[in-house]
Amino acid sequence: MLYLTSDNFPIFVPFGVIGFYRYLWYCIRLAASFAYRPIPLPENPTYIAEEDVTIIVPTIDAGEEFKEAARSWLVGKPKEILIITEEKMLGPLQELANAVDPDRIRVLTVPFANKRLQMSHGIKNTTTDIIVFADDDAIWPSTLLPYVLACFEDQKIGGVGTSQRVQPVGNKMTVWEVLAAFRLSIRNIEISCSTHIDGGLPCLSGRTAAYRTIILKDPEFLHGFTHDYWLGKYQLNSGDDKFLTRWMVSHGWSTYVQCCKETELLSTMKPNWRFLKQVLRWTRNTWRSDMRSLFTERYIWTAHPYVAYTMVDKLFNPFTLLAGPCLVAYLVYKSTISTDNGGYHLPWWNILASYLVWLLATRTAKLLPHLWYRPQDIVYVPAFIVFGYYFAIMKLYALCTLHETGWGTRTGIGDIAAATAAMDKQNANNNDTITTTTNGNTAQSQISTAITYLRGCRDILLRLVDLRTRHSSIIILRVGAGVMVQR
């Protein structure tokens, strides 16, 4: 391609600028990822899984794969596992729970399938200090819980994420699963890099993430989480992990990701073309959340400037990626014109072949961390290149369809607003019941609720000042406003 400079055409300059910029930052990310270190296990841990951890699993269609996942969770000895589903799925999921461990797995229901409502219902029924959200197919290593809990020794950390890898549905990975594995390998590099550089990350993935319960019990959080609208009128159901991550940033909590073998979970992906629907849903969530972080809430700029940079970079990424083939197409066109009429001297096939070789070399280099462990996946690099351009076009399509908030890959998800209204009605009925049993004394009911909440806060404060903590951090809880000030 450098031979083209003999034609003295200015269009070569964008190739060099874009290429230099992209691969300079990739090298920086790779170096920061290598420099990253996970938080080690403490000698005297403050948090113990069997006393302090509840695992919440929102699901509507868990199958036999749930058994393998649940058994992997129980190895870490959590206090309890809460399965939250819709009412019509209570029977099948109760059978699954009974087949694994009826003593430590409870099945709760909400009126209609809605992930955020299911998660909030689980939060309300949690009595431990730490909540871990998990997908119903996430398979954990036996060391995951201790390493996740190690991060909470720092009282400023409110949420903790993990690294991930793809578990094939069948005996062999399909091309779709390999593409998902490529994406997760790149993501593991990105989140370890951003954690090392400025302590932030774009998203605490919902496949498995842990949070302090006191943060999620905040009534302000619960209302905002279940009544989240895009542009004030499109209610959101998916994107829960993005919302949780933004909440951590906007409310002054730090996050961390344990990116190591000890916390590397296995998760299944769609083994067919439906994977593209998953990616489309994730892409819409990313657009909506990143634009809120950058332009509406804006806490990310001062809290995690490097993460803010990566978000801005993603906004322009589809345009810079599509610029390559557009420039090559122009060069090919110019090469078909004679040099006397202003054309280029190289034949079109030479330009095209040079570009394809460049793509194969650079994309293979980008995937080397993945190929180091699975060299057999090198045959899928061309598919990854094609998918990259498809993904760029998909991102632009997603940007134009942000009003579409459907799940896309699950048939049981219905009207989000109807599900929220049903849950609000159920909560109102529960409140009416409480009022009736207290002879209509609303004030007494409110006082009782406040006392219960204060007792919970007292218990957490006692734990924080217990001799086991060995921390001097003081957390002042302003219960009425649900605000926490750390010092």
Side-chain angles (χ1 to χ4, degrees):
M1 290 293 287
L2 289 175
Y3 187 46
L4 287 170
T5 56
S6 62
D7 290 310
N8 196 29
F9 58 97
I11 201 170
F12 184 78
V13 175
F15 270 112
V17 172
I18 293 173
F20 177 79
Y21 168 77
R22 282 287 166 207
Y23 288 95
L24 171 64
W25 276 107
Y26 178 71
C27 290
I28 292 173
R29 287 198 297 269
L30 204 58
S33 178
F34 280 124
Y36 159 88
R37 292 295 180 270
I39 294 176
L41 295 178
E43 292 183 5
N44 299 304
T46 300
Y47 298 99
I48 302 172
E50 55 191 334
E51 296 178 4
D52 301 312
V53 173
T54 296
I55 300 172
I56 296 177
V57 186
T59 184
I60 60 170
D61 56 1
E64 289 299 312
E65 72 280 355
F66 168 78
K67 293 181 180 179
E68 181 182 4
R71 290 190 181 104
S72 74
W73 307 334
L74 290 170
V75 171
K77 298 181 179 180
K79 181 178 180 180
E80 189 176 33
I81 297 175
L82 298 181
I83 309 300
I84 319 297
T85 187
E86 59 180 329
E87 292 174 352
K88 67 181 181 180
M89 288 298 296
L90 175 60
L93 281 169
Q94 189 64 63
E95 290 180 8
L96 283 175
N98 292 340
V100 179
D101 189 333
D103 295 327
R104 283 191 290 171
I105 301 179
R106 274 200 296 157
V107 181
L108 306 176
T109 63
V110 294
F112 297 101
N114 181 292
K115 188 177 182 183
R116 295 202 189 193
L117 292 178
Q118 290 168 248
M119 292 170 70
S120 66
H121 191 56
I123 293 167
K124 294 172 185 176
N125 284 274
T126 297
T127 59
T128 58
D129 290 348
I130 304 296
I131 288 175
V132 181
F133 292 114
D135 281 357
D136 56 22
D137 61 349
I139 300 172
W140 294 358
S142 60
T143 51
L144 184 140
L145 273 183
Y147 272 82
V148 166
L149 292 177
C151 299
F152 290 108
E153 297 295 323
D154 183 347
Q155 298 300 321
K156 294 181 294 185
I157 290 180
V160 179
T162 64
S163 55
Q164 303 165 17
R165 180 160 63 88
V166 172
Q167 165 95 332
V169 174
N171 296 325
K172 184 181 179 182
M173 278 193 181
T174 65
V175 62
W176 307 103
E177 291 172 311
V178 173
L179 291 175
F182 285 155
R183 285 171 56 87
L184 282 186
S185 296
I186 294 172
R187 180 185 181 275
N188 288 338
I189 293 173
E190 290 176 346
I191 60 177
S192 58
C193 160
S194 63
T195 299
H196 176 73
I197 290 177
D198 69 0
L201 65 162
C203 179
L204 285 163
S205 173
R207 294 188 185 97
T208 293
Y211 300 90
R212 293 188 187 274
T213 304
I214 191 63
I215 302 173
L216 308 188
K217 287 273 191 179
D218 182 351
E220 182 185 353
F221 167 81
L222 288 171
H223 183 270
F225 187 59
T226 55
H227 296 77
D228 186 22
Y229 292 85
W230 172 248
L231 299 180
K233 59 180 179 178
Y234 303 107
Q235 190 168 4
L236 303 179
N237 182 15
S238 61
D240 49 276
D241 48 5
K242 282 283 192 179
F243 183 97
L244 282 159
T245 307
R246 293 202 321 273
W247 189 272
M248 296 295 112
V249 175
S250 62
H251 288 72
W253 290 95
S254 300
T255 57
Y256 205 84
V257 60
Q258 288 286 63
C259 199
C260 55
K261 284 294 181 184
E262 290 80 4
T263 62
E264 189 172 71
L265 63 90
L266 297 175
S267 180
T268 58
M269 298 288 178
K270 299 298 180 186
N272 48 40
W273 64 272
R274 293 178 69 197
F275 168 69
L276 298 178
K277 285 191 172 183
Q278 279 185 315
V279 175
L280 179 59
R281 184 180 78 245
W282 298 335
T283 304
R284 286 188 179 123
N285 289 333
T286 298
W287 275 116
R288 286 188 288 251
S289 183
D290 287 1
M291 285 193 286
R292 280 177 166 182
S293 292
L294 292 170
F295 307 120
T296 306
E297 298 168 355
R298 299 191 296 275
Y299 297 101
I300 195 73
W301 292 102
T302 53
H304 306 295
Y306 174 77
V307 176
Y309 156 76
T310 62
M311 289 179 178
V312 173
D313 181 66
K314 287 179 182 178
L315 298 180
F316 296 99
N317 177 262
F319 302 101
T320 57
L321 186 61
L322 293 174
C326 291
L327 292 172
V328 168
Y330 178 78
L331 293 178
V332 168
Y333 163 74
K334 291 286 285 186
S335 68
T336 61
I337 302 174
S338 66
T339 54
D340 294 335
N341 294 325
Y344 298 141
H345 66 277
L346 284 181
W348 66 268
W349 59 265
N350 192 313
I351 297 173
L352 192 59
S354 300
Y355 184 60
L356 293 177
V357 169
W358 168 255
L359 284 178
L360 283 171
T362 54
R363 297 305 187 271
T364 302
K366 194 172 184 178
L367 295 172
L368 280 178
H370 174 91
L371 297 174
W372 179 264
Y373 296 101
R374 286 185 56 88
Q376 65 269 33
D377 290 345
I378 195 170
V379 297
Y380 293 104
V381 172
F384 178 70
I385 294 173
V386 174
F387 175 76
Y389 290 113
Y390 171 81
F391 181 59
I393 297 172
M394 176 190 286
K395 287 187 72 172
L396 297 179
Y397 171 74
L399 178 61
C400 298
T401 56
L402 294 181
H403 61 282
E404 296 186 18
T405 60
W407 199 264
T409 55
R410 291 190 176 183
T411 57
I413 305 297
D415 187 350
I416 304 171
T420 304
M423 196 66 183
D424 288 343
K425 183 178 180 181
Q426 185 182 76
N427 293 335
N429 290 337
N430 291 338
N431 291 336
D432 290 342
T433 301
I434 294 173
T435 303
T436 302
T437 58
T438 57
N439 298 320
N441 192 337
T442 305
Q444 184 178 350
S445 174
Q446 292 174 343
I447 292 171
S448 176
T449 302
I451 290 173
T452 301
Y453 185 69
L454 284 168
R455 284 174 178 168
C457 294
R458 179 203 62 187
D459 292 341
I460 292 170
L461 281 170
L462 288 175
R463 293 191 63 85
L464 290 175
V465 300
D466 185 74
L467 291 177
R468 292 187 308 151
T469 63
R470 296 173 292 106
H471 287 291
S472 61
S473 301
I474 298 174
I475 297 182
I476 302 173
L477 303 177
R478 292 172 55 190
V479 178
V483 177
M484 277 150 252
V485 180
Q486 297 182 355
R487 102 184 152 198

